[in-house]
Amino acid sequence: MSIPGLKWKTLRGNAGRELRARREHRGMAAGFFLGLSLLFVPCAPAQRTQLKQGWNKFSPQDDINLGKRAATDAEKLLPPCNAPKVDAYLTQLGTRLAQKLPTGGVQYPFEFHCVNDKAINAFALPGGYVFVNRGAIEAADNEAQLAGVIAHELSHVALRHGTNQATKAMLAETGLGIFGAVFGDTTGGALLTQLGSFTAGGVLLRYSRTAESQADVMGTQVLYDAGYDPRALAQFFEKLEAETKGKNPPEFFSDHPNPEHRVGRVDEEVEKLGGVPPNAKRDSSEFEAIKREVLALPVVKKTVAGPPGAVAAPAPPSRSFSEYQASSYALKYPDNWKKYPDSNGGGVSFAPEGGVLDDGSGHSTLAYGLIIGVAQAVGDANDGKALNSATSQVIQDLQKSNPSMKITRQGERLRLNGQPGISTFLSNVSPAGGQETDWLVTVLRPEGLVYFVCLAPQSAYDNYDKTFSSILDTVRFTR
Ligand SMILES: [Zn+2]
């Protein structure tokens, strides 16, 4: 799924720490004492993988509050199926699966929504707000496969992967720079307020491969416990992979990145559960009817969600400049632009009146202007290799979270106040509609990689490139 707007994701997670699978040897002692009577139990499930939640600074109630807000945003941005029968079916199926979900006693307010999007995808926001694309229903061969996808999503909720990811993001220094620069207009303050401004921006939905593997394992357990064929999840993945050989991978894999040996790991869990029960449920006539209804829904063309109503382009940049002094550099910017300091002190944004747009959900996104930030990097200013690799890292950070961001011109050398720098042009979806051009200039400094992102919608970029160059010409590093 892609919700427009700048997104960011930490790459420095503690992924390895997340999966602490413990094998439980339930039933062994009992078997010892019960002796012969156990022989009549055909297959004692004894070793299902125990999954543990990762590090989390949020409470389950925070998950619900955040998820509710993000779900309200998502509902405004995503086209609904407008098919009450389909929603009712998803709710019934989802609720049945949620009853088997180990939530540690937390009562999540589960909701299930059908999205009129042909892309094969589904996502769950913290707190239990599940969105299933029509494409996922259409791609499922039977009810068990769709149940597998939903069980996988529910497992992200139970394992609280969204706020685990957010916890890591808040704590990763590189992130704070970009986070602060992009959302420079947030007032800071409470963690929740800050997070609120980028919930829909993706950080809650960017899972590590470890998290994916956990959701696969727990999803398989939930399928099993709900009486479905526990292999269905793996079968759905196999089908997606086979169908998309050589073509673009389905969206599901960009939101739920493929862990290594995904199918093998699910099969392993099925074994641990004691194999496929003979009476396992695979399909229902209800599913077939719902799938037919979904296939017949009108197709909604994907549009870039812009701000509601027509947006007037900002006034042209003024030729007289104001001064800005940061701790390690100074620059001048058009005096009809506003300054949006980053509450963390690491970055700042400048934008004309009308350059910061509502992304359609009450959150601010920069559409015209300049973002300055500092990313963690070590290296001498003249160390070309270090400059290259730190620049690639920042680009990767941005791309990971902006799937449509592409490099259009790469690696040109320039000098900024005498310092060696790299110029990179990228394109991305603009919050003003259409495409935007991002001109990224990076310089290695003692405090890290200082980056300047000059951006405007592609159609208007020519009106800004002179101003961007003039601003960069005024940059003076002061230490
Ligand atoms: Zn997932």
Side-chain angles (χ1 to χ4, degrees), residues 152-153 156 207 211-212 215-216 252 255-257 262:
H152 171 102
E153 298 304 331
H156 282 309
Y207 305 130
E212 284 310 308
D216 288 351
F252 187 86
D255 278 2
H256 304 272
R262 185 164 214 166

Side-chain angles (χ1 to χ4, degrees), residues 63 73 96 99 109 148 171 211 227 229 239 285 313 340 342 370:
D63 277 36
D73 293 346
R96 224 176 330 123
Q99 279 162 2
L171 273 278
D229 183 341
K239 183 188 141 92
S285 52
Y340 298 87
D342 157 18
L370 168 67

Side-chain angles (χ1 to χ4, degrees), residues 371-434:
I371 297 169
I372 306 170
V374 184
Q376 210 174 47
V378 187
D380 182 76
N382 294 303
D383 181 349
K385 256 194 183 156
L387 176 60
N388 271 336
S389 83
T391 300
S392 310
Q393 189 61 53
V394 162
I395 294 173
Q396 271 175 38
D397 276 359
L398 291 167
Q399 279 179 326
K400 277 262 151 64
S401 41
N402 292 272
S404 46
M405 188 178 250
K406 289 188 182 65
I407 296 173
T408 51
R409 237 165 76 199
Q410 195 173 15
E412 286 161 312
R413 301 279 158 177
L414 51 66
R415 283 194 175 261
L416 199 62
N417 186 208
Q419 304 268 318
I422 297 182
S423 154
T424 311
F425 281 88
L426 303 114
S427 70
N428 193 25
V429 171
S430 170

Side-chain angles (χ1 to χ4, degrees), residues 17-281:
R17 270 203 235 150
E18 273 181 315
L19 187 65
R20 288 207 193 104
R22 261 190 306 121
R23 311 265 140 85
E24 203 185 47
H25 298 275
R26 235 189 315 147
M28 270 179 70
F32 188 77
F33 293 112
L34 289 175
L36 274 178
S37 68
L38 246 191
L39 291 178
F40 297 104
V41 180
C43 190
Q47 300 202 320
R48 70 169 56 192
T49 304
Q50 297 293 305
L51 297 153
K52 241 183 101 181
Q53 288 178 19
W55 179 38
N56 208 313
K57 287 186 82 85
F58 298 85
S59 69
Q61 189 56 48
D62 290 337
D63 277 36
I64 295 170
N65 297 345
L66 277 169
K68 173 107 200 114
R69 267 161 79 172
T72 309
D73 293 346
E75 278 185 80
K76 281 185 212 152
L77 289 167
L78 304 171
C81 288
N82 283 328
K85 260 196 224 159
V86 178
D87 281 325
Y89 169 78
L90 287 178
T91 302
Q92 191 209 17
L93 174 61
T95 307
R96 224 176 330 123
L97 295 164
Q99 279 162 2
K100 302 293 178 189
L101 191 69
T103 61
V106 183
Q107 296 272 337
Y108 290 112
F110 293 105
E111 281 181 18
F112 301 88
H113 303 267
C114 177
V115 181
N116 194 335
D117 186 336
K118 290 285 233 181
I120 303 170
N121 205 356
F123 68 94
L125 291 162
Y129 305 89
V130 181
F131 292 79
V132 181
N133 279 4
R134 67 180 289 182
I137 301 172
E138 290 167 350
D141 285 332
N142 52 45
E143 182 166 288
Q145 289 187 4
L146 178 61
V149 171
I150 297 174
H152 171 102
E153 298 304 331
L154 290 172
S155 303
H156 282 309
V157 174
L159 291 161
R160 306 185 55 220
H161 285 148
T163 45
N164 165 249
Q165 193 63 38
T167 301
K168 291 189 281 183
M170 300 304 290
L171 273 278
E173 227 183 306
T174 336
L176 290 176
I178 296 177
F179 166 72
V182 171
F183 299 100
D185 58 336
T186 55
T187 45
L191 202 61
L192 277 181
T193 316
Q194 276 199 332
L195 255 184
S197 65
F198 73 142
T199 45
V203 84
L204 297 175
L205 292 171
R206 303 270 142 195
Y207 305 130
S208 64
R209 288 186 160 77
T210 309
E212 284 310 308
S213 190
Q214 289 185 322
D216 288 351
V217 169
M218 185 178 279
T220 300
Q221 295 170 351
V222 168
L223 271 186
Y224 178 90
D225 291 340
Y228 285 101
D229 183 341
R231 287 175 316 180
L233 187 53
Q235 284 163 351
F236 185 72
F237 292 146
E238 276 175 335
K239 183 188 141 92
L240 288 194
E241 272 174 3
E243 274 182 12
T244 53
K245 276 241 159 75
K247 286 187 276 174
N248 287 335
E251 243 181 55
F252 187 86
F253 290 137
S254 56
D255 278 2
H256 304 272
N258 250 337
E260 258 186 81
H261 317 299
R262 185 164 214 166
V263 169
R265 183 65 189 89
V266 172
D267 286 344
E268 202 182 296
E269 194 61 25
V270 173
E271 294 266 300
K272 287 182 184 176
L273 291 164
V276 182
N279 56 347
K281 191 173 175 179

